């Protein structure tokens, strides 16, 4: 397809420390390949002709992932055909970590980094004392949210659960370094009953796309990601209702539930949590395009949903740093 010299291809980079502004495409470090010269320029042109908006970034990643010209040309053909870049190279960048992502697995979006940030912000004032912080990541997919939290909270006990065994195989790799425990099943069903009432925080990036809206999603998502990771039911909030109803049984005293939602659906998600006894706040990041509904179990009277608009979300405080 495109003639290139092997010497033009850089090696795969180590895990990076800074995110790209693009919500879907994995990124490289500051030493990114200059994909505007020679072979890189030809590759960028091929990707752009195939409809790739972020052709320069994708060219750098593909060149870094391939060791032979034939391998590169094969990847270019698949990418132009619409296969997600992350499925081709086998990883996605999330919160500065390189997450294993296999074909057919939901690709973590950059907006979900806001779920991580807000969780850390909520936990900054959480009364944990001497005991180990306990986290449950529901609908974990590749385990990206749980792994990112565990990296920032090195002494935590992490549990992740998902209904998709293929995604969970990726999650097992991504949370292994943090000692994460992995469960396969529907929401809370596979989590051991002995953990009821023990979690300090439950995070959930559950599907929230209304069934009828899936047809209007980008082809990359509709065709190459599992329907179970996209379809949130008639109004998109079926799983939010189930999670909110069951979470109080699994949370400990002063426990916190954080759910990713959309700006349009957040008010309804907040009302769902309030109906289950949570005091609720809604936060939105313009920078990341993310919206998070946080509910806190408390003996205090339940408050009406509060709305906080964050134009540029500040870095979250880390647990134990004050």
């Amino acid at each position: 397809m495109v003639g290139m010299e092997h010497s033009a291809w850089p090696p795969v980079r180590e895990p990076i420390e800074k995110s790209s502004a693009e919500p879907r495409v994995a990124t490289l470090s500051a030493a990114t390949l200059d994909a505007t010269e020679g072979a890189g320029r030809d590759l960028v042109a091929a990707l752009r002709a195939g409809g790739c908006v972020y052709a320069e970034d994708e060219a750098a990643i593909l060149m870094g992932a391939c060791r032979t010209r034939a391998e590169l040309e094969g990847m270019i053909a698949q990418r132009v055909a619409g296969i997600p870049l992350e499925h081709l190279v086998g990883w996605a960048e999330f919160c500065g970590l390189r997450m294993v992502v296999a074909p057919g697995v939901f690709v973590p979006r950059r907006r979900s980094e806001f779920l991580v940030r807000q969780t850390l912000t909520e936990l900054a004032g959480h009364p944990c004392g001497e005991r180990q912080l306990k986290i449950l990541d529901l609908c974990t997919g590749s385990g990206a949210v749980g792994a990112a939290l565990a990296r920032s909270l090195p002494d935590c006990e992490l549990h992740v659960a998902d209904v998709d065994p293929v995604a969970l195989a990726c999650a097992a790799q991504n949370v292994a370094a943090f000692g994460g425990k992995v469960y396969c099943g529907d929401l809370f069903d596979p989590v051991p009953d002995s953990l009821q009432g023990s979690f300090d925080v439950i995070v959930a990036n559950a599907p929230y796309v209304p069934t009828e809206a899936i047809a209007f999603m980008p082809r990359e998502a509709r065709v190459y990601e599992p329907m179970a990771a996209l379809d949130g039911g008639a109004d998109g909030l079926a799983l939010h209702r189930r999670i909110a109803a069951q979470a109080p049984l699994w949370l400990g005293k002063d426990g916190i539930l954080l759910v990713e939602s959309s700006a349009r659906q957040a008010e309804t998600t907040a009302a769902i949590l309030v109906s289950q006894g949570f005091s609720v706040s809604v936060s939105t990041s313009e920078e990341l395009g993310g919206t998070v509904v946080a509910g806190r179990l408390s003996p205090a009277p339940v408050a009406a949903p509060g709305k906080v608009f964050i134009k540029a979300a500040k870095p979250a405080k880390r647990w134990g740093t004050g």
Side-chain angles (χ1 to χ4, degrees):
M1 179 182 286
V2 181
M4 298 188 178
E5 293 297 327
H6 181 78
S7 60
W9 309 338
V12 175
R13 271 33 177 205
E14 293 301 313
I16 63 176
E17 296 300 329
K18 189 175 181 179
S19 300
S20 163
E22 156 59 12
R24 287 299 308 269
V25 178
T27 58
L28 295 175
S29 67
T32 298
L33 162 74
D34 181 358
T36 62
E37 297 294 334
R41 183 174 55 216
D42 292 338
L43 175 52
V44 169
L47 291 170
R48 188 170 287 125
C52 298
V53 177
Y54 296 89
E56 289 84 358
D57 291 338
E58 295 199 17
I61 293 167
L62 287 171
M63 293 175 76
C66 297
R67 291 178 172 81
T68 68
R69 172 174 158 179
E71 185 181 4
L72 178 60
E73 292 184 348
M75 280 198 179
I76 295 170
Q78 293 178 81
R79 180 67 189 117
V80 171
I83 296 178
L85 175 68
E86 298 85 353
H87 289 171
L88 289 174
V89 299
W91 61 273
E93 185 274 327
F94 187 82
C95 288
L97 293 172
R98 185 176 288 198
M99 302 292 178
V100 174
V101 178
V105 171
F106 181 82
V107 176
R109 275 49 164 183
R110 188 170 180 243
R111 62 174 172 265
S112 297
E113 293 184 5
F114 189 58
L115 178 58
V116 174
R117 289 188 189 180
Q118 286 304 105
T119 302
L120 294 172
T121 298
E122 292 286 341
L123 286 173
H126 186 70
C128 190
E130 297 291 322
R131 63 184 177 79
Q132 191 175 30
L133 184 72
K134 195 172 292 186
I135 298 172
L136 174 61
D137 178 12
L138 285 179
C139 304
T140 190
S142 65
V145 171
L149 287 171
R151 184 187 64 170
S152 294
L153 304 164
D155 295 325
C156 77
E157 179 180 312
L158 175 65
H159 302 257
V160 304
D162 199 279
V163 72
D164 181 358
V166 178
L168 212 56
C170 294
Q173 296 180 65
N174 291 326
V175 304
F178 310 106
K181 298 176 176 61
V182 179
Y183 310 104
C184 187
D186 183 34
L187 297 182
F188 296 94
D189 287 353
V191 184
D193 290 344
S194 60
L195 294 173
Q196 290 181 2
S198 70
F199 289 106
D200 296 286
V201 60
I202 296 173
V203 295
N205 181 18
Y208 52 87
V209 180
T211 303
E212 292 185 354
I214 291 175
F216 302 100
M217 293 185 70
R219 184 173 182 274
E220 286 186 31
R222 287 187 288 106
V223 176
Y224 296 103
E225 292 182 322
M227 192 61 60
L230 305 175
D231 192 347
D235 66 350
L237 303 178
L239 285 171
H240 289 188
R241 292 184 180 88
R242 292 179 58 202
I243 291 169
Q246 297 179 59
L249 178 65
W250 295 87
L251 287 168
K253 182 182 177 182
D254 299 313
I256 310 166
L257 170 64
L258 295 101
V259 181
E260 180 174 308
S261 190
S262 69
R264 180 178 60 82
Q265 297 163 300
E267 186 173 343
T268 305
T269 298
I272 290 170
L273 267 65
V274 167
S275 72
Q276 299 297 331
F278 288 92
S279 176
V280 176
S281 65
V282 178
S283 301
T284 301
S285 169
E286 189 175 72
E287 174 199 359
L288 295 174
T291 298
V292 172
V293 178
R296 188 180 290 265
L297 283 179
S298 170
V302 175
K307 191 171 288 187
V308 181
F309 183 71
I310 304 176
K311 289 188 176 180
K314 296 179 180 179
K317 292 181 180 180
R318 277 10 183 196
W319 180 257
T321 60

